[in-house]
Amino acid sequence: MKRVWFSLFVVILIAPGLTAHAQPGATEFQDRWIAHGFFAAGSSLAENNAGFIGGGGGVEAFIWKRVTAGADASGFRDNYYRAVGTFGHVGAQVGYHFASREKTRGVDPFILFGVGSFFPKESRPAVHGGAGLTYWFQRHIGARAEFRVGERPYGDNIDGVFRVGIAFR
């Protein structure tokens, strides 16, 4: 079972980068897409014994200056509510990047807000918000870390999720 989770994790981290590429024919550096894969760990902010781990991936597109629209999907294993077991989340969000798109290296802080739905047991809407940063090592690859706050899929508590992974553009 550990091999299956590890293989899934590796695929999630690598797959988004296959679709990310620079805008063709641009005279200056202005990529329009950011793809990312991540490992996530979280906990309920109201309970100290709840926790979950998982992973996923997503993509963002710059729609106006530093404003992005994006979507992501993730899968989690809930370590507290054993009856819930494994669950997933799909979401869409808008974000704002504080660094210029022309910056080829360095820190790119961002904020995001979005809506989504949890599955498979009950389709339940959820909202989330967060902040993070991407450190671009080179023009097309970086490390991404973010913290999101949202509602629990099968409870009434607010959860915090820390996500870390790689980003491609």
Side-chain angles (χ1 to χ4, degrees):
M1 187 64 177
K2 287 183 181 181
R3 269 191 205 159
V4 172
W5 279 103
F6 180 74
S7 299
L8 181 63
F9 176 70
V10 169
V11 168
I12 287 170
L13 287 180
I14 293 173
L18 299 176
T19 61
H21 58 283
Q23 180 179 350
T27 57
E28 58 186 32
F29 179 73
Q30 278 199 356
D31 286 325
R32 298 189 56 126
W33 296 91
I34 299 174
H36 57 274
F38 56 85
F39 170 77
S43 177
S44 171
L45 299 178
E47 303 172 15
N48 58 10
N49 56 353
F52 47 88
I53 58 171
V59 65
E60 292 178 276
F62 285 94
I63 55 174
W64 182 69
K65 297 190 180 187
R66 298 178 181 182
V67 177
T68 61
D72 60 25
S74 50
F76 296 100
R77 176 168 176 81
D78 194 323
N79 294 323
Y80 180 66
Y81 291 105
R82 300 290 183 194
V84 173
T86 303
F87 62 94
H89 177 266
V90 292
Q93 60 264 347
V94 294
Y96 181 82
H97 289 254
F98 294 96
S100 171
R101 291 190 328 197
E102 288 112 16
K103 190 175 183 180
T104 59
R105 294 179 182 209
V107 177
D108 176 14
F110 60 90
I111 56 173
L112 56 88
F113 301 96
V115 296
S117 181
F118 290 96
F119 61 90
K121 295 189 180 187
E122 297 175 18
S123 180
R124 180 175 171 179
V127 295
H128 61 269
L133 60 88
T134 303
Y135 182 82
W136 294 106
F137 297 112
Q138 298 177 3
R139 181 175 175 174
H140 295 295
I141 189 163
R144 179 178 173 121
E146 67 181 78
F147 181 75
R148 286 190 182 188
V149 176
E151 76 170 304
R152 177 191 300 266
Y154 303 105
D156 297 326
N157 295 321
I158 301 297
D159 289 334
V161 179
F162 181 71
R163 302 171 9 152
V164 60
I166 14 181
F168 304 94
R169 59 180 176 186

